[in-house]
Amino acid sequence: MRPACLIVGAGPGIGQSVAQAFAREGCAIALAARHPERLEDFRRELEKDGTPARAYAADAADEASLRQLFAAVRKDFADLEVVVYNPAAHSPGKPTTLNGAQLAADFSVNVTGALVCAQEAALTMKERGRGTILLTGGGFAHEPAASYASLSLGKAALRNLTYSLAQELGAHGIHVATVTVYGFVQSGTQYDPARIAEAFLRLHKQKPGHFQTELVFK
């Protein structure tokens, strides 16, 4: 049975490009999004190229939904080797214009959802003594922007979470890392999602003892 890669937040852009990159490496692909019907054309493309692929409904802001997702994926794919967490939420506005409810809603997607997915992934990865958990970070974690205050806070917290997870799970052979994207993703530019996807793959291929926790893409 092929090792499987689960992409949470598998929409156009980084999510689908990462799926294609790992499919080329021989992984089966599990795609998760709030509206999985929108992934059907892409899923069929993967299968046409010989990659086993399934699409699942999941809400990154809903802990129960994410845990149900992992239960379904573990049932369909016995060897879940890679988990990629890609969702992001952003309430426009400078710090003084935001309220607590907006920040909490965004935080649940940007950080809490990532933690839940890491917890679920670790359940089986720790038993096998291997696995990769990759989180899509952003340059706002290093250089916050007032107009993107909510997202800046979220990316900073996600980076912090990545480092603490790496400290905990690295001892079990699990590689936890973030790809920090220092620009706006757009095809045909320096931040082409296909180029960014190669950074995810490069992290996955690193051997124990040579794990990077962060790869800055700029």
Side-chain angles (χ1 to χ4, degrees), residues 39-60:
L39 302 173
E40 274 304 301
D41 287 345
F42 180 63
R43 185 193 65 78
R44 283 193 290 266
E45 286 179 17
L46 291 172
E47 291 202 324
K48 183 179 179 181
D49 292 335
T51 298
R54 290 179 180 267
Y56 303 84
D59 183 350

Side-chain angles (χ1 to χ4, degrees), residues 89-123:
H90 166 57
S91 294
K94 296 181 179 180
T96 56
T97 70
L98 299 175
N99 60 52
Q102 289 173 310
L103 285 176
D106 289 348
F107 196 89
S108 69
V109 174
N110 294 329
V111 185
T112 307
L115 175 60
V116 172
C117 287
Q119 291 172 341
E120 288 291 325
L123 290 176

Side-chain angles (χ1 to χ4, degrees), residues 144-161:
S147 296
Y148 292 85
S150 176
L151 186 60
S152 295
L153 287 164
K155 291 303 183 184
L158 183 70
R159 182 174 182 267
N160 185 292
L161 174 63

Side-chain angles (χ1 to χ4, degrees), residues 127-216:
E127 291 177 0
R128 295 196 305 269
R130 61 179 174 82
T132 304
I133 301 170
L134 301 173
L135 313 173
T136 303
F140 291 142
H142 294 268
E143 299 180 21
S147 296
Y148 292 85
S150 176
L151 186 60
S152 295
L153 287 164
K155 291 303 183 184
L158 183 70
R159 182 174 182 267
N160 185 292
L161 174 63
T162 302
Y163 274 81
S164 59
L165 284 169
Q167 291 174 25
E168 177 188 4
L169 298 179
H172 299 277
I174 301 169
H175 188 186
V176 184
T178 181
V179 177
T180 298
V181 182
Y182 249 85
F184 292 98
V185 178
Q186 184 176 353
S187 297
T189 71
Q190 179 181 352
Y191 298 100
D192 190 297
R195 295 185 67 232
I196 296 170
E198 292 303 316
F200 283 81
L201 193 59
R202 188 155 68 249
L203 285 167
H204 171 60
K205 290 183 174 182
Q206 291 175 348
K207 304 298 183 184
H210 300 278
F211 288 165
Q212 285 179 265
T213 305
E214 182 176 21
L215 195 160
V216 177

Side-chain angles (χ1 to χ4, degrees), residues 1-4 73-81 124 128:
M1 181 176 292
R2 296 191 188 198
V73 172
R74 283 193 291 262
K75 181 179 178 181
D76 293 336
F77 299 101
D79 187 4
L80 182 55
E81 183 172 303
T124 52
R128 295 196 305 269

